[in-house]
Amino acid sequence: MHRPVLLVIAHGSRDPRHAATVHALVRRVRARRPGLRVETGFLDFNVPSVNGVLESLAAEGVRDVVALPLLLTRAFHAKSDIPAVLGQAPARLRIRQAPVLGPSPLLTDALERRLHEAGLTPADKSSTGVVLASAGSTDPEAIAVITEIAREWRRTGWRAVRPAFASAALPRTEDAVRELRALGCARVAVAPYVLAPGFLPDRIARGAAGADVLADVLGPAPEVARVLLERYDQARLPALAAVGA
């Protein structure tokens, strides 16, 4: 049975690091599942556009597509922007929108990977406070998800974990860093819960000036690639079940 094309939908950015990171992640996804066709489309700023990719696929005769939002929370883009864009796709395409990436234990593993790469060791956990720094959202559901991730992550052994937001919600990264200092943490680390560099990740980095450790963005971490494929499989399962696969 043929597999639907996986269309990864990224936000896009004027910052060239954003698209470069998205493409690196997509290359890792392709390497994990040879034979799966994976395309990338951007909502804004970068090419190809989502509409352009969908039109090209339809012109080639492709019928089935799984559209996967490259998003960590289910906020405005996942609920409104992306469905609107997909609604403009050529009628011949059968498109299923996959769930957003987060939350997932694999993403927490990716956060830990980035902190370890930045110099922390497992022995540091009990004395280290971590700021889980996300882009932020006006959507209460998205904010609640970030807060819950921080609460659950704290249970893995960190001294404390505090959520922070680069926009639209409080506290900011620098405020969370100060709170952890006041709590008496021996060291403070900032873990950006973002996928690619850009304007808001740079704001997170500036807010981390008072921290001891600043981890890298999640980017093409192997755990992130695994989540993408999990979400792809989730979206195609109903079709597989319908044919007894």
Side-chain angles (χ1 to χ4, degrees):
M1 176 184 174
H2 78 282
R3 290 182 284 189
V5 172
L6 169 56
L7 171 59
V8 175
I9 300 179
H11 184 276
S13 171
R14 292 186 178 90
D15 189 324
R17 297 174 298 168
H18 175 90
T21 302
V22 170
H23 292 311
L25 174 59
V26 168
R27 285 194 297 271
R28 189 178 284 272
V29 170
R30 290 185 181 123
R32 290 192 66 89
R33 192 167 294 184
L36 172 62
R37 181 173 178 181
V38 186
E39 300 290 343
T40 307
F42 295 91
L43 291 174
D44 207 354
F45 302 116
N46 302 107
V47 292
S49 68
V50 175
N51 280 332
V53 174
L54 291 172
E55 289 171 4
S56 294
L57 291 174
E60 289 179 31
V62 171
R63 295 297 303 275
D64 294 300
V65 176
V66 168
L68 195 157
L70 199 59
L71 300 168
L72 294 173
T73 57
R74 189 173 173 272
F76 180 77
H77 292 304
K79 294 177 180 179
S80 180
D81 279 1
I82 291 175
V85 171
L86 297 180
Q88 300 169 7
R92 66 171 293 136
L93 292 176
R94 291 189 294 257
I95 303 175
R96 294 187 288 281
Q97 182 175 329
V100 298
L101 303 184
S104 167
L106 285 170
L107 294 176
T108 305
D109 291 344
L111 288 166
E112 297 254 356
R113 171 189 291 276
R114 293 304 190 221
L115 285 172
H116 294 158
E117 289 170 351
L120 292 179
T121 70
D124 295 323
K125 292 188 76 165
S126 62
S127 59
T128 300
V130 178
V131 178
L132 178 68
S134 76
S137 174
T138 57
D139 190 310
E141 178 187 347
I143 299 302
V145 167
I146 299 298
T147 301
E148 180 60 24
I149 292 170
R151 184 179 299 116
E152 290 295 322
W153 198 17
R154 159 71 180 81
R155 293 173 181 167
T156 67
W158 296 102
R159 171 72 173 81
V161 180
R162 295 288 188 272
F165 308 95
S167 68
L170 297 173
R172 295 287 186 257
T173 302
E174 53 268 33
D175 299 325
V177 169
R178 284 193 290 268
E179 180 184 352
L180 292 171
R181 290 281 187 217
L183 191 62
C185 296
R187 65 184 61 77
V188 175
V190 174
Y193 190 60
V194 293
L195 287 165
F199 177 75
L200 293 178
D202 283 350
R203 181 179 288 178
I204 290 171
R206 290 193 297 272
D212 302 294
V213 173
L214 171 62
D216 199 358
V217 299
L218 297 176
E223 296 86 356
V224 180
R226 287 177 59 192
V227 176
L228 260 72
L229 289 170
E230 282 188 358
R231 298 295 182 252
Y232 169 80
D233 289 336
Q234 280 180 262
R236 62 192 288 263
L237 274 176
L240 290 174
V243 296

